[in-house]
Amino acid sequence: MPYLGSEDVVKEVKKALCNPHIQADRLRYRNVIQRVIRYMTQGLDVSGVFMEMVKASATVDIVQKKLVYLYMCTYAPLKPDLALLAINTLCKDCSDPNPMVRGLALRSMCSLRMSKLDQWGQAEVLNFLLRYQPRSEEELFDILNLLDSFLKSSSPGVVMGATKLFLILAKKFPHVQTDVLVRVKGPLLAACSSESRELCFVALCHVRQILHSLPGHFSSHYKKFFCSYSEPHYIKLQKVEVLCELVNDENVQQVLEELRGYCTDVSADFAQAAIFAIGGIARTYTDQCVQILTELLGLRQEHITTVVVQTFRDLVWLCPQCTEAVCQALPGCEENIQDSEGKQALIWLLGVHGERIPNAPYVLEDFVENVKSETFPAVKMELLTALLRLFLSRPAECQDVLGRLLYYCIEEEKDMAVRDRGLFYYRLLLVGIDEVKRILCSPKSDPTLGLLEDPAERPVNCWASDFNTLVPVYGKAHWATISKCQGAERCGPELPKTSSFAASGPLIPEENKERVQELPDSGALTLVPNRQLTADYFEKTWLSLKVAHQQVLPWRGEFHPDTLQMALQVVNIQTIAMSRAGSQPWKAYLSAQDDTGCLFLTELLLEPENSEMQISVKQNEARTETLNSFISVLETVIGTIEEIKS
């Protein structure tokens, strides 16, 4: 029996583990590893062969893996630097197709004493613990108590990893989630002031994510988000966005004064972003903001004037009470507007509210005089509509100018869209003024739209799975596209061809796309992108499986298949085949696969006589929890499209 601390024994074992002849003989190699474990249980320090044992884990022999993992979990606390190698090996085995290997690796990962690991190792372990599902509420809180100390770590990566694990494990306990977010407020604020620009930017993105559920969470620390002159442009923009969400009755004056200073920044883009931010705050604090915006017009700077006018246009539509003040501020600003967006905004205001602006017909006449040199068709079309609207309230001043503009658009204009609009208005005038008023005299404002633009507070579970990822940085839609492209680069040649068709454009409006992407928490379900099936394989698999779940969802009115397909792609549900719009009955076949290999095949059926959609789902592995999670995602997508459509 070897004595404790025997260096000769360790050297002998190390030499045997490095011997290529022994490594080539599977049985001899395993026997050497068993000797190491025997020495370890007898009290001999064999930590000196840690590197060789890590290499021995690269095998398909389950018994050998168990022995090696037992060794690594025992000595990882004593070898924190080399333990990183163990973490890397365990990470790879957690993706092994063999479920026994995956389970063994995950169990070993949980057994590591994280306090002995460095910050990177701790963050990696916390990330992989997300796969574990507590078996009881008691076990859940035991785990949370063990993780509590990691919320106080000096490493932002460890704090973020622990926070995400808290949020995921406590998904059924909103008060615990809120308490955790309160506790990480300090580390997040510190990261927002970090000298590392990358860390600062990521922290700001996560602050904005938290504010979706806790709007006033950082309000008392609003000064932490004031911009420094030396900060890069992208960090300043994030801070301005955060400031807009932190405004309340106590700090509105200080925030507006800070934003007013940004409006004259040397960076035109940042100055314009600050002006738009004031316009956003103006929906709640109208009088103070309109006064600041009016004062900015007095600077007579082109890049400032054009954005202020655009802000005024949006503001009078949502807040009609400020219309009078806006109309009084507009005269003279046309001299400092040169870009297309600014011109369109000013022309719209003159057309809709021109009866309150004394020189409105003459400003529009100046635009008509220069219409031949105007390079933007959108400006010409806006000019046509505005002048015709103003003609209805001030006909004597606008008749001659309107006639000249219509003549030019119909006889000389080369852009067909402008020409068609001019021809349409000309023929509309021939029908009669009453018909013109019926068509053009729409409401001048709609305050209810403000309710749509101010989303309600979202539950933490809506974004908990995205916390501590790149989703808050890129946005859900952009990150899904990036992930899809990266997946295609890695495994594109191995993917089978599919009969599904790709969407050709932005079928879902940007303002509604977020609603599709922000799905409720789906537990452990993670649908992987680019797992497309051929039509033949889908058909064979579909016929071989039984229906695991069937239900109906309400559906009314017209159907847009392309919109549904686009929404499904966002959540990594692929379209195999789909009927054309208007087909009776309408059908679609879908496929999806989660990160454990479980396949979901779905049929959607819409009968013309029923105001409901029938959903049938088949699963290649009987997993009730993942099936319910998949159904939840599918219901949310279809329900969201139904709301958008209506």
Side-chain angles (χ1 to χ4, degrees):
M1 173 177 174
Y3 58 92
L4 296 180
S6 174
E7 296 181 1
D8 294 337
V9 173
V10 174
K11 289 180 180 179
E12 179 189 349
V13 173
K14 188 170 186 177
K15 184 177 180 180
L17 288 172
C18 296
N19 191 325
H21 299 292
I22 294 179
Q23 292 176 353
D25 189 328
R26 186 165 143 184
L27 185 58
R28 291 177 64 192
Y29 197 33
R30 185 199 290 180
N31 288 336
V32 175
I33 294 172
Q34 288 176 333
R35 284 173 56 196
V36 174
I37 300 300
R38 185 168 64 251
Y39 293 155
M40 181 181 73
T41 58
Q42 291 173 350
L44 178 66
D45 181 10
V46 286
S47 60
V49 296
F50 195 95
M51 182 78 73
E52 289 71 22
M53 291 292 282
V54 170
K55 294 178 180 178
S57 65
T59 177
V60 295
D61 187 342
I62 297 294
V63 176
Q64 182 172 317
K65 274 189 180 292
K66 288 183 178 179
L67 294 172
V68 174
Y69 284 168
L70 174 61
Y71 172 90
M72 290 195 300
C73 291
T74 302
Y75 283 107
L78 302 178
K79 297 282 186 177
D81 295 333
L82 294 177
L84 294 178
L85 299 173
I87 295 293
N88 189 44
T89 302
L90 292 169
C91 289
K92 291 180 179 178
D93 283 349
C94 282
S95 303
D96 193 276
N98 188 332
M100 292 184 64
V101 175
R102 292 200 304 269
L104 179 63
L106 186 58
R107 185 167 64 251
S108 302
M109 183 84 75
C110 295
S111 301
L112 290 177
R113 294 180 61 187
M114 292 173 55
S115 59
K116 299 295 182 180
L117 299 178
D118 70 354
Q119 297 172 352
W120 182 89
Q122 292 177 29
E124 282 297 305
V125 172
L126 289 168
N127 185 46
F128 274 88
L129 287 176
L130 290 169
R131 298 176 177 228
Y132 184 72
Q133 295 293 325
R135 289 165 291 184
S136 65
E137 185 175 317
E138 182 180 359
E139 182 185 14
L140 166 65
F141 283 98
D142 286 341
I143 294 174
L144 296 182
N145 288 332
L146 290 173
L147 293 173
D148 188 74
S149 60
F150 295 99
L151 293 174
K152 306 172 185 176
S153 172
S154 60
S155 167
V158 173
V159 173
M160 297 293 276
T163 302
K164 179 173 183 176
L165 191 52
F166 261 93
L167 297 179
I168 296 297
L169 292 178
K171 60 186 177 183
K172 295 181 180 179
F173 303 94
H175 65 283
V176 175
Q177 293 177 322
T178 302
D179 181 62
V180 170
L181 294 176
V182 169
R183 294 185 60 189
V184 299
K185 183 191 296 186
L188 270 177
L189 288 171
C192 290
S193 304
S194 171
E195 293 182 359
S196 168
R197 294 177 174 180
E198 294 81 4
L199 177 59
C200 179
F201 181 77
V202 171
L204 288 168
C205 292
H206 280 80
V207 165
R208 293 187 62 192
Q209 189 178 53
I210 293 174
L211 290 173
H212 291 161
S213 299
L214 304 174
H217 195 54
F218 296 92
S219 292
S220 59
H221 303 277
Y222 68 94
K223 290 185 179 180
K224 291 281 187 180
F225 302 98
F226 283 0
C227 299
S228 164
Y229 177 82
S230 60
E231 286 175 334
H233 180 70
Y234 56 89
I235 288 181
K236 290 181 178 179
L237 292 180
Q238 286 294 322
K239 286 190 172 182
V240 166
E241 293 290 342
V242 173
L243 280 175
C244 290
E245 299 182 49
L246 299 183
V247 173
N248 56 33
D249 293 343
E250 286 75 29
N251 62 28
V252 60
Q253 200 59 42
Q254 292 86 346
V255 172
L256 287 177
E257 285 299 321
E258 184 72 13
L259 291 175
R260 184 210 292 262
Y262 303 157
C263 294
T264 55
D265 193 87
V266 292
S267 168
D269 290 339
F270 181 54
Q272 291 179 336
I275 295 171
F276 280 128
I278 294 175
I281 297 173
R283 298 171 189 176
T284 307
Y285 301 95
T286 307
D287 294 338
Q288 300 102 305
C289 295
V290 170
Q291 181 180 351
I292 293 175
L293 293 171
T294 303
E295 292 172 0
L296 290 173
L297 284 180
L299 298 177
R300 297 189 176 277
Q301 297 290 320
E302 180 184 335
H303 69 282
I304 293 178
T305 302
T306 186
V307 177
V308 170
V309 172
Q310 291 177 58
T311 303
F312 277 158
R313 174 195 58 193
D314 300 337
L315 201 53
V316 298
W317 183 256
L318 296 172
C319 306
Q321 69 272 18
C322 70
T323 302
E324 189 63 37
V326 168
C327 291
Q328 292 177 3
L330 285 180
C333 65
E334 69 277 0
E335 300 172 3
N336 303 297
I337 298 179
Q338 297 298 326
D339 76 311
S340 169
E341 291 295 328
K343 288 180 181 179
Q344 291 180 65
L346 176 60
I347 291 171
W348 184 88
L349 286 166
L350 294 174
V352 174
H353 300 285
E355 73 279 2
R356 300 187 183 190
I357 305 171
N359 67 336
Y362 312 106
V363 176
L364 292 178
E365 184 176 11
D366 290 339
F367 280 109
V368 173
E369 292 294 335
N370 300 304
V371 71
K372 293 183 180 181
S373 60
E374 178 58 58
T375 57
F376 296 100
V379 173
K380 297 177 183 179
M381 289 192 286
E382 192 68 65
L383 185 59
L384 272 168
T385 303
L387 198 50
L388 185 54
R389 276 179 172 170
L390 192 57
F391 169 74
L392 298 177
S393 59
R394 301 172 71 169
E397 298 168 282
C398 298
Q399 182 174 355
D400 179 64
V401 182
L402 178 60
R404 282 186 282 146
L405 180 60
L406 287 173
Y407 178 84
Y408 167 79
C409 292
I410 296 172
E411 299 295 337
E412 301 180 30
E413 176 60 44
K414 295 180 180 179
D415 187 278
M416 293 305 296
V418 178
R419 180 181 179 277
D420 288 346
R421 179 168 295 192
L423 195 58
F424 169 73
Y425 285 160
Y426 174 74
R427 291 172 177 170
L428 188 62
L429 285 167
L430 294 178
V431 174
I433 292 297
D434 292 338
E435 189 66 14
V436 176
K437 290 181 179 179
R438 188 183 70 83
I439 293 176
L440 286 185
C441 291
S442 56
K444 297 182 179 181
S445 64
D446 188 359
T448 61
L449 288 179
L451 300 176
L452 299 178
E453 296 188 358
D454 297 329
E457 296 178 17
R458 306 169 193 162
V460 174
N461 288 333
C462 287
W463 49 262
S465 59
D466 296 330
F467 196 81
N468 198 30
T469 69
L470 290 176
V471 171
V473 177
Y474 286 98
K476 207 153 193 173
H478 193 189
W479 178 243
T481 303
I482 293 174
S483 301
K484 188 173 182 180
C485 294
Q486 290 176 340
E489 291 176 1
R490 288 194 299 267
C491 56
E494 300 176 4
L495 292 175
K497 294 182 179 179
T498 175
S499 61
S500 65
F501 47 92
S504 58
L507 302 173
I508 304 175
E510 289 298 324
E511 63 270 19
N512 290 325
K513 191 174 291 185
E514 289 186 4
R515 299 168 62 194
V516 178
Q517 294 154 354
E518 292 165 0
L519 298 175
D521 178 73
S522 55
L525 179 68
T526 302
L527 298 181
V528 293
N530 302 309
R531 292 298 188 268
Q532 296 178 327
L533 309 178
T534 63
D536 292 339
Y537 181 84
F538 180 95
E539 183 178 5
K540 291 178 182 178
T541 309
W542 177 265
L543 294 176
S544 65
L545 298 175
K546 295 182 179 180
V547 175
H549 179 86
Q550 196 168 49
Q551 72 178 80
V552 294
L553 294 177
W555 189 272
R556 295 184 181 86
E558 188 179 358
F559 191 78
H560 301 285
D562 290 347
T563 305
L564 177 61
Q565 184 191 7
M566 187 70 172
L568 292 169
Q569 286 178 343
V570 170
V571 294
N572 297 325
I573 299 178
Q574 310 301 328
T575 305
I576 301 298
M578 185 179 286
S579 303
R580 294 181 178 178
S583 300
Q584 297 183 358
W586 180 89
K587 289 185 178 182
Y589 291 96
L590 318 171
S591 71
Q593 186 176 350
D594 69 8
D595 55 354
T596 65
C598 186
L599 187 65
F600 304 93
L601 306 182
T602 306
E603 179 191 59
L604 305 181
L605 175 62
L606 188 63
E607 297 284 358
E609 64 274 8
N610 298 328
S611 58
E612 57 189 23
M613 178 179 289
Q614 180 176 309
I615 303 175
S616 302
V617 181
K618 297 185 178 183
Q619 195 178 17
N620 67 339
E621 298 178 32
R623 299 182 187 176
T624 305
E625 184 178 355
T626 56
L627 177 62
N628 292 338
S629 298
F630 175 75
I631 294 299
S632 176
V633 172
L634 196 60
E635 287 177 342
T636 305
V637 172
I638 294 175
T640 303
I641 295 300
E642 171 68 3
E643 293 177 13
I644 295 173
K645 173 180 65 66
S646 57

